[in-house]
Amino acid sequence: MPLISPDGTINIALSVKDRHVSAEWYGSMLGFEAIYHADDAGWSELQTNTVGVTIGLGEHTKPAPGNCVPVFGIADLDAARQKLEQAKVKFDGETDVVEGMVKTATFYDPDGNALMLAEDLTGGS
């Protein structure tokens, strides 16, 4: 029995220089469609050809090879974080909240690879 149960959605978060240019590239090269551009948050999201898997484009971190972060959707981030912390999983700072949009928390696997949990606060799926 796993400690927590992600909800079946995965967003693969990538750092890019220009989200709009990158969204065009992913569209023309791979056929991914932009779901939205949240310009105030510096974030864009694209639907891949795989159900439940999206690509997130963020301008928060300088792009570098290997800085991809899988983001697992979770119904109750606070409860999941508490269970993982009790199991000695290391988190990177506090939980981030963008009111009315998303709650996120970055954590690390035993090799230091960054992973993230995200709780949808929009009331959607």
Side-chain angles (χ1 to χ4, degrees):
M1 185 76 161
L3 202 55
I4 65 170
S5 297
D7 67 12
T9 62
I10 297 174
N11 177 280
I12 301 166
L14 304 170
S15 295
V16 296
K17 291 177 190 165
D18 185 317
R19 294 173 296 105
H20 293 276
V21 169
S22 292
E24 288 288 325
W25 186 89
Y26 279 94
S28 62
M29 297 297 136
L30 302 173
F32 298 170
E33 290 189 32
I35 300 168
Y36 64 85
H37 295 286
D39 293 328
D40 289 348
W43 182 257
S44 295
E45 209 153 301
L46 311 174
Q47 179 59 55
T48 69
N49 299 332
T50 305
V51 174
V53 179
T54 54
I55 300 281
L57 304 174
E59 296 171 343
H60 308 102
T61 306
K62 183 179 177 187
N67 69 353
C68 176
V69 179
V71 183
F72 300 94
I74 193 88
D76 184 343
L77 189 143
D78 295 332
R81 179 175 179 148
Q82 184 177 21
K83 287 179 183 178
L84 290 172
E85 285 179 331
Q86 287 171 346
K88 305 292 188 235
V89 172
K90 181 180 174 239
F91 277 78
D92 184 17
E94 299 299 313
T95 297
D96 290 320
V97 179
V98 179
E99 290 299 333
M101 190 172 176
V102 69
K103 183 187 291 191
T104 61
T106 300
F107 63 104
Y108 299 97
D109 76 2
D111 295 301
N113 293 303
L115 304 167
M116 187 180 284
L117 295 176
E119 180 181 340
D120 184 350
L121 301 178
T122 66
S125 56

